[in-house]
Amino acid sequence: MVQDAPVTVDPAAAVERVYREQGAKLFRSLYAFCGDRELAADALAEALAQALGRGDAVESHARWIWRASFRIAAGELKARSTSKPVTLTHDTYEMAEPAVDLVQALTRLSPNQRVVAILHLYADMRTRDVAAILGVTQATVRVHLSQARRRLRTLLEDDDG
Amino acid sequence: MADLRERFRALDQVDTPDVWPRVGELGPKPPSPSQPTIARRLGIIALSFAVAVAGIGLVVRALGTTPRPVVPRPPSEPVLLSVDVGDPIPVGAYPNAVAVGEGAVWVSVRDAGSEGGQILRLDPRSGDIEARIQMEILPGWEFGGGGIAAGAGRLWVSGRRSQSEGGCCEATIVAIDPVSNSIVREVPFGLGSGADVWVDGDDVWVLTFTEGNGSMRLLRVNATTYDVMATIELPTTWAQQVFTSGGSVWVHGTKPDARGPVEVNTLYRVDPERNELVDVISFDIQSFPLAADDVAIWHREIGGIARVDPAGGGLFVDVPTQGEDCCGRIASDGSGGVWFFDRGTPERGIVIHLGPDGAILAESAEAISPVEGVASDLDLETLTFWIVQYEHTVTPVRIRLG
């Protein structure tokens, strides 16, 4: 679940706190989304820098950073290729096999299905929170989540077999 | 297979870099338009995430219980079908819409260079033209073959009437008596153009483009008194279908406030008890056309066809198709299932009947050349797809067992 840092008079401290408490999960989520460590790190750093720049104009730092970092990552993916699905970069050899299988399976989903699955199934966000981060309705989240689950089960079952 | 959440725990083993020093190198970034490209791209990137519904002041209600994905498993071998593509029936200049109901097949045929033309009444078995009704108002082309509907003892035809001063235009709907084949009423709605129409019980639901096509309205008209009972503003600039399903009224259009050449990929749910928009569901791809009845809404998906439960809002079934772009003509079977043309290849395809759970109940034994068109409707009594071609003809595609 995404938790906001307590109310503080120092926005920079709030941003840093989000990073310290949720940065690892956010990075892994971004990595699962884009399949590229460097891109995930860039998106996270960019979102944090932008959050710092906005200062106290940001009401909910955690939500804003999650939302911005995924948008940035999605934009980078789109800029690289508008039609081809993401492919894993060479750094997967450092990962355990289950994680490689999962990230590989995620590449077979549409971007919306992928991000909804990651936020709900890995980041443990409620569909309400996912909807707020993506700026869509809960019903839309449910549709994508349902489809993502079904496809992931099929893909991972095939992989298990 | 382990629970999906457990599978995702594998991500916890992924090493994480410390990006905080990099944040320091980037420095705080004020949200100004002159900032580096990645910041400017943020606005564009938003589209890829379907950031569609923010700011519309919509009361979003959670829909029902958690979706129950169903993997389709055919209970037995599908019934084999034969498909008879009939001879094209010449109907006139520019046919653009078709509806089955009130004992006939009704076809809108526009004259060249005119808002008017004819409504043709065809015998649903022989295809013979039984009547021609002269019309000053007929549906337009732009919303994909809708705009006429049979029900509540009438045929309903939407369109627009040019104003006498030469201004444009007034949205309107015309009611036709299917017994006398004559116009009995015209109901004007004010500036704009009529779009799709649907009849449910004593309600006629009419979509209209507002003046200048800047937005859409949904009008609820009493089929007996012709009174406009409600007007519901919709946060879409373009919508192509209206229908009822699961106790709600649904409008199929572009994402809220999307502009330009965008896809029809969003469902708007209206609560008929309150005449209020209560929900928005967006899909990944162009979902038009879709098919609906009281218990199911079927729409195109990437490489398949999928069913949304109109009561629960979740996706229940997703069935792969042979064709990557899914479907040609599509129609509800009235019982939660769907009939559609599966384009296996651009040249050859088959007709498939899915049950409500996605199981293949029947499919054509032999591939046929796809019968494309601008509009279609399925006559469930004769099991005939009536497919309107852009110019001059209507083709019946009859489906038979064996």
Side-chain angles (χ1 to χ4, degrees):
Chain A
M1 182 190 306
V2 176
Q3 292 181 332
D4 273 316
V7 175
T8 173
V9 292
D10 183 357
V15 172
E16 183 169 359
R17 181 162 184 163
V18 170
Y19 172 68
R20 299 297 174 204
E21 294 180 352
Q22 302 180 35
K25 180 142 279 189
L26 178 48
F27 170 81
R28 289 167 178 146
S29 298
L30 288 165
Y31 175 66
F33 175 71
C34 62
D36 184 322
R37 290 178 61 86
E38 198 59 30
L39 197 160
D42 284 348
L44 175 55
E46 180 72 25
L48 291 166
Q50 290 191 22
L52 285 172
R54 280 168 169 75
D56 55 12
V58 176
E59 287 186 6
S60 165
H61 284 92
R63 179 172 295 175
W64 194 95
I65 291 166
W66 276 84
R67 180 174 182 152
S69 57
F70 267 91
R71 287 186 178 185
I72 292 165
E76 285 297 314
L77 282 179
K78 196 170 183 179
R80 290 181 182 187
S81 170
T82 55
S83 58
K84 294 178 182 176
V86 293
T87 52
L88 293 185
T89 54
H90 64 282
D91 50 27
T92 53
Y93 69 88
E94 298 171 353
M95 288 167 48
E97 188 176 342
V100 174
D101 293 342
L102 176 66
V103 177
Q104 191 73 59
L106 286 167
T107 65
R108 305 283 298 276
L109 307 186
S110 74
N112 280 326
Q113 292 163 11
R114 198 158 64 234
V115 69
V116 164
I118 292 165
L119 294 181
H120 183 70
L121 297 172
Y122 178 63
D124 292 328
M125 294 184 195
R126 295 169 296 181
T127 55
R128 185 171 59 189
D129 297 324
V130 175
I133 282 179
L134 300 183
V136 301
T137 63
Q138 281 193 71
T140 296
V141 170
R142 288 181 181 188
V143 167
H144 291 310
L145 182 59
S146 178
Q147 197 155 21
R149 277 179 166 144
R150 188 194 62 77
R151 290 188 170 168
L152 279 174
R153 284 196 179 99
T154 302
L155 290 165
L156 294 172
E157 273 176 3
D158 289 348
D159 181 65
D160 286 346
Chain B
M1 188 187 70
D3 176 74
L4 275 178
R5 281 186 188 276
E6 287 301 312
R7 297 296 293 254
F8 272 84
R9 294 281 81 81
L11 292 172
D12 287 334
Q13 305 305 314
V14 174
D15 290 337
T16 58
D18 183 6
V19 304
W20 194 249
R22 204 180 310 186
V23 176
E25 294 167 10
L26 289 169
K29 295 196 168 185
S32 81
S34 60
Q35 280 305 299
T37 55
I38 201 158
R40 286 202 295 274
R41 282 201 299 268
L42 204 56
I44 300 169
I45 293 164
L47 289 175
S48 68
F49 271 111
V51 184
V53 290
I56 62 174
L58 173 65
V59 177
V60 178
R61 299 198 331 178
L63 290 177
T65 56
T66 304
R68 299 174 288 109
V70 176
V71 178
R73 295 276 186 259
S76 57
E77 288 297 308
V79 173
L80 292 180
L81 305 168
S82 61
V83 178
D84 173 26
V85 179
D87 294 333
I89 301 168
V91 291
Y94 297 114
N96 68 343
V98 60
V100 177
E102 300 295 335
V105 178
W106 306 89
V107 182
S108 160
V109 183
R110 290 181 67 132
D111 294 335
S114 160
E115 299 284 340
Q118 296 178 332
I119 290 289
L120 269 56
R121 177 186 182 127
L122 274 60
D123 182 289
R125 297 193 180 275
S126 68
D128 293 342
I129 298 174
E130 298 178 323
R132 293 178 181 269
I133 306 165
Q134 292 299 321
M135 303 288 292
E136 295 180 352
I137 291 160
L138 285 174
W141 305 99
E142 60 272 25
F143 47 92
I148 66 174
R154 296 281 183 268
L155 178 72
W156 304 87
V157 181
S158 79
R160 64 184 188 183
R161 181 176 285 286
S162 297
Q163 294 177 308
S164 55
E165 294 79 12
C168 189
C169 302
E170 184 162 41
T172 189
I173 191 166
V174 172
I176 292 173
D177 177 4
V179 177
S180 63
N181 297 320
S182 60
I183 295 171
V184 292
R185 188 72 170 243
E186 179 175 334
V187 185
F189 300 130
L191 294 178
S193 302
D196 197 21
V197 59
W198 183 269
V199 187
D200 182 45
D202 204 33
D203 292 315
V204 182
W205 296 91
V206 189
L207 268 176
T208 66
F209 293 95
T210 57
E211 184 185 20
N213 295 343
S215 62
M216 302 292 299
R217 278 192 192 115
L218 179 62
L219 298 156
R220 181 179 196 165
V221 179
N222 183 284
T224 304
T225 65
Y226 304 103
D227 292 331
V228 177
M229 308 303 290
T231 301
I232 300 134
E233 301 290 339
L234 299 170
T236 178
T237 57
W238 195 265
Q240 298 197 170
Q241 280 180 289
V242 57
F243 55 90
T244 55
S245 184
S248 297
V249 184
W250 300 80
V251 172
H252 191 203
T254 58
K255 288 178 181 174
D257 302 322
R259 296 189 181 274
V262 291
E263 294 179 325
V264 173
N265 58 3
T266 299
L267 284 173
Y268 298 83
R269 187 168 77 89
V270 171
D271 179 356
E273 297 293 321
R274 295 183 288 156
N275 293 319
E276 285 180 4
L277 178 62
V278 292
D279 211 346
V280 178
I281 300 175
S282 294
F283 302 113
D284 277 337
I285 63 165
Q286 165 90 13
S287 43
F288 179 84
L290 51 70
D293 58 25
D294 279 346
V295 294
I297 301 170
W298 290 90
H299 68 92
R300 294 153 46 99
E301 246 306 329
I302 299 170
I305 184 170
R307 175 189 159 189
V308 171
D309 168 35
L315 181 112
F316 277 65
V317 180
D318 183 14
V319 182
T321 52
Q322 294 185 40
E324 186 62 30
D325 66 345
C326 176
C327 320
R329 309 317 305 183
I330 176 174
S332 164
D333 73 357
S335 304
V338 65
W339 288 91
F340 65 100
F341 288 69
D342 183 353
R343 298 189 186 110
T345 69
E347 296 79 27
R348 309 286 284 173
I350 59 174
V351 176
I352 293 180
H353 180 204
L354 298 181
D357 62 355
I360 298 175
L361 301 180
E363 62 185 6
S364 54
E366 295 181 6
I368 60 169
S369 298
V371 184
E372 301 295 350
V374 296
S376 67
D377 200 4
L378 175 62
D379 182 352
L380 290 170
E381 281 194 23
T382 63
L383 218 50
T384 302
F385 268 97
W386 292 90
I387 301 176
V388 169
Q389 276 79 45
Y390 175 66
E391 288 185 332
H392 310 311
T393 59
V394 175
T395 300
V397 178
R398 302 183 190 281
I399 301 166
R400 301 279 180 267
L401 296 181

